[in-house]
Amino acid sequence: MAIGKLFIGRKVREIRQAGHATQAQFADKIGISTSYLNQIENNQRPVSASVLLALAEKFGIDITELSSGQNDRLLSALSEALSDPLFETYSPSLQELKLVTQNAPGLAHALITCHQAYRRNSEQLVSYDDRFGAAPSNETTSYDEVRDFFHFVDNYIHDIDILAESLAGQLKLGEGENHAALAGFLESRYGVRVVRGDAGEEAIRRFDPASRILTLSRYASAPTRDFQIAIQVAQLHARDTIEQVLKQAGFRTEEAVEVCRIGLHNYFAGALILPYRSFHQAARELRHDIELLAARFGASLEQVCHRLSTLQRPGLKGVPIFFARIDRAGNITKRHSAARLQFARFGAACPLWNAHQAFEAPGRIIRQLAETPDGVRYLCLAMQVNKGTLGFRAAQPRYALALGCEISYADQFVYADDLDLSNRAAFDPIGISCRICERVKCTSRAVPPLKRKLVVDHTVRNATPYEIE
């Protein structure tokens, strides 16, 4: 196979399925035979220039988006897995990894899964003490499996998104006045009455199937209350669609199914409150001003940032951004990237990233121009948010929200207007995580890179006690 040939079978299949077309219908529309389309979708033949042009003309697809090459998320995950010392005798080139992720994505996923299992077993063995013989826990396994599910579907679930957008149109949602419409829909369609909880109610949301009463915390914010009502709508109105997605996902354990079900309920709720087309258009009009988007749609900053990361509908994609939620210890509790920057699967976030500074400047949106070791430059935004309910004794966990885009898209963000994007010296050098970062002179390094040798000179002491060869 010539390297220059373009194999994008998965992407072509996604475009076809998004339009609910059979192979015969889709092939007829772009002027090729059904057998040729079948071969394209199975990566048995590359797409021709005429097919690319037909996709652009008939479906409004950006050709540069189709021909951009590898699946960055899968490539990043596979590259990180193979950086483990376990594979020290094998150092594949970037081109080899691209070929695997393009033409054998199933093999790449299997290798990543095996590496995850290896890491978990290693960590369990290290942690064994006087409890020798205890059964290992599968809790992390289920969580990681669900996280990878969303990661590798580009954080976009088409059928759920379309269903939510359709209902939002019926209820005329999307301009901030959502509470009455959502509560009215629940009561009229499903006989569920929404009430405020008593002063001592600790749960943010509690549903009693027998009485058909949905109780919301008296002290939750308006965006939180609306989102919790939308979750109840998801559980009742989107049940069949969600169950079909879960069935197709093929999770290995029932625990993973339940964890993913929560994620899909949340996905529907976000898509209902922030309908795709109207939110996509508003993001462009307001130049991704997060606070104005939150005000227009009556949503929280986190809901807006998360929704921006899901704008991956074929033919109507938003700006490719990265999004993460980070706790004070540096743990990434939510993550997705449609940009080339891909978060590490293990370890904390780079300490040079402005996300950590957000905890020092509550109430502000912090900007940073940053460059990763591969030479790609980004506009990075970060802000602190508080979770939980009100009250002196209530838990108030704090998180940093981080999002951004590659510099080529920065003109679509209001936050870049007064920044000197042409001055390379203005960009801070950041990494992904210390264990896979190749920067040799970083004074903030926590651990050495996995696949580089260390040189220790006992006569000299610099910022780190070793040099990286």
Side-chain angles (χ1 to χ4, degrees):
M1 182 194 74
I3 291 175
K5 294 180 179 179
L6 189 60
F7 291 86
I8 53 171
R10 182 182 60 83
K11 291 184 179 181
V12 172
R13 186 183 300 109
E14 287 176 354
I15 296 169
R16 176 177 64 80
Q17 291 176 341
H20 301 286
T22 65
Q23 283 191 334
Q25 293 168 335
F26 192 82
D28 183 64
K29 194 162 188 178
I30 61 176
I32 63 175
S33 67
T34 304
S35 61
Y36 181 24
L37 175 62
N38 183 271
Q39 290 174 321
I40 288 175
E41 290 191 358
N42 288 285
N43 280 330
Q44 295 172 351
R45 289 181 65 181
V47 293
S48 64
S50 60
V51 171
L52 281 178
L53 291 174
L55 289 170
E57 179 183 349
K58 302 293 186 181
F59 300 95
I61 303 301
D62 184 350
I63 292 180
T64 60
E65 177 186 294
L66 278 175
S67 59
S68 60
Q70 76 280 0
N71 181 321
D72 288 330
R73 282 159 296 284
L74 185 56
L75 180 68
S76 174
L78 182 61
S79 178
E80 184 181 353
L82 292 177
S83 70
D84 194 294
L86 174 69
F87 303 103
E88 62 183 354
T89 59
Y90 175 59
S91 297
S93 67
L94 179 60
Q95 190 59 51
E96 286 180 289
L97 295 180
K98 287 181 179 180
L99 289 173
V100 171
T101 56
Q102 285 175 345
N103 300 299
L107 176 62
H109 281 291
L111 183 56
I112 292 167
T113 300
C114 289
H115 179 251
Q116 286 180 317
Y118 164 77
R119 281 187 58 89
R120 283 193 298 270
N121 289 339
S122 298
E123 291 166 359
Q124 289 163 359
L125 287 172
V126 169
S127 66
Y128 278 167
D129 46 24
D130 57 326
R131 295 173 299 163
F132 180 80
S137 170
N138 288 323
E139 181 178 356
T140 304
T141 306
S142 299
Y143 179 81
D144 286 343
E145 191 177 3
V146 172
R147 183 180 63 180
D148 285 348
F149 164 77
F150 282 99
H151 186 62
F152 290 118
V153 299
D154 230 5
N155 209 25
Y156 175 76
I157 315 293
H158 185 74
D159 290 345
I160 295 178
D161 212 293
I162 291 293
L163 179 63
E165 185 177 36
S166 175
L167 180 59
Q170 296 174 34
L171 301 181
K172 296 181 171 55
L173 302 180
E175 289 298 332
E177 300 298 328
N178 297 328
H179 185 87
L182 288 169
F185 173 75
L186 270 182
E187 185 161 12
S188 62
R189 177 68 67 88
Y190 295 103
V192 173
R193 188 161 57 92
V194 180
V195 302
R196 293 284 189 91
D198 297 330
E201 176 65 53
E202 295 184 0
I204 298 174
R205 173 180 58 87
R206 187 186 303 278
F207 176 60
D208 183 352
S211 64
R212 309 296 285 177
I213 292 178
L214 174 65
T215 303
L216 302 178
S217 169
R218 181 174 295 273
Y219 303 113
S221 66
T224 297
R225 290 198 302 270
D226 289 351
F227 192 81
Q228 295 303 321
I229 298 176
I231 287 178
Q232 192 63 55
V233 174
Q235 293 180 0
L236 298 172
H237 188 73
R239 178 186 302 164
D240 292 344
T241 302
I242 288 175
E243 292 306 311
Q244 184 62 30
V245 172
L246 289 170
K247 181 180 179 180
Q248 293 174 348
F251 291 114
R252 292 174 295 172
T253 66
E254 186 60 29
E255 186 178 60
V257 171
E258 292 301 329
V259 172
C260 189
R261 185 176 281 115
I262 294 174
L264 295 177
H265 289 156
N266 290 339
Y267 185 98
F268 180 92
L272 181 61
I273 293 173
L274 304 169
Y276 195 102
R277 291 181 183 274
S278 58
F279 184 75
H280 178 272
Q281 181 178 350
R284 285 183 172 273
E285 291 175 355
L286 299 176
R287 299 185 62 225
H288 296 83
D289 189 311
I290 300 163
E291 292 168 307
L292 292 183
L293 285 168
R296 175 178 291 193
F297 288 90
S300 69
L301 293 179
E302 182 174 345
Q303 289 166 4
V304 167
C305 292
H306 198 159
R307 185 56 167 153
L308 286 172
S309 77
T310 69
L311 298 183
Q312 297 296 303
R313 181 176 294 180
L316 193 64
K317 290 192 176 186
V319 171
I321 71 166
F322 61 81
F323 164 69
R325 189 181 71 183
I326 305 167
D327 66 19
R328 289 185 62 87
N331 301 306
I332 300 178
T333 60
K334 284 185 180 181
R335 70 177 188 187
H336 178 67
S337 179
R340 277 184 282 182
L341 185 149
Q342 298 297 318
F343 302 110
R345 300 163 67 80
F346 306 101
C350 174
L352 300 178
W353 197 13
N354 70 335
H356 303 285
Q357 300 173 19
F359 294 106
E360 304 167 11
R364 291 176 48 202
I365 295 179
I366 302 173
R367 302 177 297 174
Q368 180 186 34
L369 297 177
E371 181 175 331
T372 46
D374 57 4
V376 182
R377 293 177 293 159
Y378 298 90
L379 168 66
C380 303
L381 309 174
M383 67 218 76
Q384 179 193 287
V385 295
N386 294 339
K387 304 285 286 184
T389 55
L390 300 175
F392 177 72
R393 298 189 181 281
Q396 294 283 345
R398 291 184 290 171
Y399 295 95
L401 303 181
L403 75 156
C405 65
E406 295 180 29
I407 287 302
S408 58
Y409 297 97
D411 62 334
Q412 299 185 47
F413 284 70
V414 65
Y415 306 100
D417 284 352
D418 58 345
L419 299 178
D420 185 1
L421 305 182
S422 63
N423 180 14
R424 203 161 195 119
F427 287 78
D428 298 326
I430 66 170
I432 303 303
S433 82
C434 290
R435 68 188 296 274
I436 58 174
C437 180
E438 294 292 319
R439 296 192 189 279
V440 298
K441 297 295 184 182
C442 180
T443 58
S444 297
R445 179 175 289 283
V447 295
L450 284 176
K451 301 198 79 172
R452 297 290 291 272
K453 292 183 179 180
L454 303 184
V455 176
V456 178
D457 186 345
H458 295 283
T459 65
V460 179
R461 179 57 161 92
N462 293 313
T464 57
Y466 51 80
E467 296 291 328
I468 300 172
E469 188 177 277

